[in-house]
Amino acid sequence: MTLTERDKKVIWHPYTQAKNAMPVIGITSASGPYLFAEDGNRYIDAVSSWWVNIHGHSHPYIAEKVAAQLSNLEHVIFAGFTHEPAVLLAERLLPVLPGTQDKVFYSDNGSTAVEVALKMCIQFWSNSGVPERKRVLAFKDSYHGDTFGAMSVSARSIFTDAFASYLFEVEFIDLPTDENIADLRQLIASQADNLACFIFEPLVLGSGGMLMYRAELLDQLLELCRDKGVLLIADEVMTGFGRTGVPFATAGLHNKPDIFCLSKGLTGGTMALGITTCTDKIFEGFYSDDKLKTLYHGHSFTANPIACTAALASLDLFLGEETQANLDRITRRHANFSAKISGHPRLKDIRQTGTILALEWETGTDTSYLSGLRDRMYKWFLDRGILMRPLGNIIYLMPPYVISDEDLDYIYKQIEIALAEI
Ligand SMILES: *Cc1c(COP(=O)(O)O)cnc(C)c1O
């Protein structure tokens, strides 16, 4: 039996309606930007496997570091104990984050990093004797993860419908534009006394449809929040580690976050790891003889040494000259391609931030066309050896930084054909 057949008997896949899903593809190995399937097909991983494999697959440098760590220390409880990879990763990561970040709290993935950030902010205010500051401000189309707290601060959609009555209330705002920024600021000002924090995906709302907005408008929102004492949580789970062309999407902002959430690219896609960082101000809000002021949160695999080692190796690669050159190269090539297809009648919009390129298909008013479009596009590109996962009528590229010019050109070419054919 093939992997595909064995899988069907025993596995429940994420974000998948088993009844009408295409058969899953069995992958036997991967290298650089390529996935190799059991039937002999090869796929270019144009979405870095849900945005995590920033340096490509099976990177030999990360593999070597992880292998060495495995035979030295694979795991140890992180309450009451510590180890070199966790300490070193915190020492090396904090200085490269925008602004001043002082402490690292480890968890397992992006959603848990968000849960920790929300708990830090809400408890910070109750520890400080201001319990009425407990509401969260968030963007209406945002995505912050699939656990209950993360779902609560994310877009209410078909993904969250079944749980709607269990999600806590959030103050949702639209993305800022030149037209609405004054209204948004007024709304925040009027709610500020009850707001614990503002959680945002800087510059690009990923799962919400690669929606992009301007740094200076975000800065205006952050400035007001800062003035009003609202804590700032930058969810850089997707945008972190170069995705937007700069090391972190918040790097160019004047108002720096109090808290960062990191995951996805953190280990180069090698291990599951989440990080929530914060300033000393937040940490000190919990520093007390009063046991009730403790942050009672933790996971079995907190700061797993293998995962921290993978993150350290990924950070070495990320800080190398080659990575910045690749970011510039991909950014430039995406821009050239956008210019080439700009104005195409089949496209409603073309958006780019750094290495992220999103194309929104014109769908007209035919909703039956729209409903099947996503699946047709997914299959169309797979048949041509390209893994993309369209978000509705939006296709996007988020390639590993090591992707070659030839592979990029091949993908661009296929997109041009798709524009004529699909
Ligand atoms: C993917 C994502 C998350 C959730 O991360 P998981 O590791 O999938 O739980 C949170 N925030 C953003 C911005 C994301 O893109």
Side-chain angles (χ1 to χ4, degrees):
M1 272 203 292
T2 63
L3 275 174
T4 304
E5 290 158 348
R6 285 163 53 207
D7 174 288
K8 198 172 165 65
K9 290 192 200 311
V10 291
I11 291 181
W12 188 338
H13 283 268
Y15 281 103
T16 302
Q17 172 49 263
K19 183 157 186 200
N20 49 32
M22 277 173 54
V24 294
I25 298 168
I27 294 297
T28 50
S29 68
S31 167
Y34 306 120
L35 305 173
F36 299 99
E38 61 179 340
D39 61 6
N41 283 329
R42 187 193 81 173
Y43 300 94
I44 303 172
D45 188 350
V47 294
S48 303
S49 281
W50 258 341
W51 322 344
V52 302
N53 290 95
I54 55 176
H55 307 299
H57 292 272
S58 311
H59 199 289
Y61 180 74
I62 303 179
E64 181 197 331
K65 295 285 183 182
V66 164
Q69 183 62 39
L70 257 175
S71 47
N72 188 41
L73 173 67
E74 88 301 354
H75 188 63
V76 61
I77 180 174
F78 207 60
F81 292 82
T82 193
H83 52 80
E84 176 71 17
V87 176
L88 186 60
L89 178 56
E91 286 172 345
R92 292 192 57 203
L93 183 63
L94 289 170
V96 302
L97 292 173
T100 307
Q101 291 290 303
D102 301 299
K103 291 284 190 291
V104 164
F105 192 104
Y106 286 106
S107 64
D108 304 329
N109 57 67
S111 302
T112 55
V114 166
E115 298 288 338
V116 170
L118 294 172
K119 283 187 172 184
M120 278 181 180
C121 290
I122 292 166
Q123 193 179 344
F124 172 86
W125 288 113
S126 74
N127 283 0
S128 309
V130 195
E132 64 274 18
R133 273 202 184 255
K134 62 182 182 196
R135 273 174 83 89
V136 180
L137 181 71
F139 286 127
K140 207 179 274 168
D141 294 309
S142 61
Y143 177 78
H144 296 291
D146 283 350
T147 51
F148 273 85
M151 263 199 297
S152 293
V153 297
S154 299
R156 302 302 154 97
S157 70
I158 56 164
F159 298 152
T160 60
D161 255 3
F163 317 106
S165 62
Y166 296 89
L167 304 182
F168 58 75
E169 272 184 43
V170 168
E171 194 65 48
F172 283 115
I173 55 172
D174 290 325
L175 281 185
T177 61
D178 287 324
E179 289 71 44
N180 72 5
I181 184 80
D183 289 346
L184 294 182
R185 282 173 57 100
Q186 200 173 6
L187 184 120
I188 294 171
S190 70
Q191 302 289 321
D193 291 348
N194 296 313
L195 290 176
C197 58
F198 175 30
I199 184 165
F200 56 94
E201 297 166 83
L203 308 192
V204 186
L205 273 55
S207 302
M210 300 299 151
L211 305 174
M212 299 176 187
Y213 65 108
R214 298 211 316 274
E216 74 235 45
L217 294 172
L218 175 59
D219 236 341
Q220 290 187 44
L221 297 180
L222 300 188
E223 182 187 38
L224 180 70
C225 286
R226 167 112 313 145
D227 283 353
K228 301 283 181 192
V230 180
L231 299 171
L232 305 174
I233 305 174
D235 179 352
E236 291 235 30
V237 167
M238 184 277 275
T239 52
F241 301 100
R243 204 28 103 183
T244 64
V246 291
F248 294 89
T250 47
L253 300 175
H254 297 296
N255 296 281
K256 302 300 188 209
D258 299 288
I259 291 180
F260 281 86
C261 300
L262 303 168
S263 187
K264 294 214 163 99
L266 175 59
T267 67
T270 308
M271 296 282 296
L273 183 67
I275 279 183
T276 311
T277 67
C278 70
T279 57
D280 273 338
K281 170 181 144 179
I282 308 238
F283 183 75
E284 277 155 19
F286 292 75
Y287 195 80
S288 168
D289 290 322
D290 181 353
K291 279 204 166 211
L292 282 175
K293 294 196 172 173
T294 308
L295 180 62
Y296 286 112
H297 188 102
H299 298 277
S300 321
F301 284 98
T302 298
N304 174 262
I306 309 295
C308 291
T309 299
L312 280 163
S314 180
L315 192 61
D316 283 340
L317 296 173
F318 172 64
L319 296 174
E321 273 168 29
E322 207 174 312
T323 296
Q324 191 56 52
N326 279 334
L327 296 181
D328 295 342
R329 175 178 61 89
I330 296 169
T331 301
R332 203 170 51 240
R333 294 185 80 86
H334 277 355
N336 290 343
F337 178 62
S338 304
K340 185 171 177 203
I341 57 169
S342 135
H344 194 289
R346 302 298 307 283
L347 291 177
K348 196 149 125 193
D349 193 27
I350 305 172
R351 316 186 264 278
Q352 186 200 349
T353 303
T355 72
I356 308 168
L357 176 65
L359 309 177
E360 190 167 345
W361 237 250
E362 188 65 69
T363 55
T365 49
D366 184 355
T367 49
S368 60
Y369 173 78
L370 174 62
S371 66
L373 178 64
R374 187 239 163 240
D375 293 349
R376 275 208 309 285
M377 292 204 287
Y378 178 61
K379 182 161 188 317
W380 196 91
F381 284 103
L382 276 180
D383 288 345
R384 284 151 186 84
I386 301 167
L387 166 57
M388 288 212 249
R389 279 184 64 90
L391 298 159
N393 62 328
I394 298 156
I395 64 169
Y396 66 89
L397 298 181
M398 229 195 258
Y401 307 154
V402 294
I403 194 169
S404 67
D405 286 348
E406 292 70 36
D407 284 335
L408 277 176
D409 285 342
Y410 173 74
I411 296 169
Y412 296 148
K413 182 81 208 151
Q414 297 311 308
I415 291 174
E416 285 185 83
I417 300 173
L419 281 168
E421 285 187 7
I422 303 184

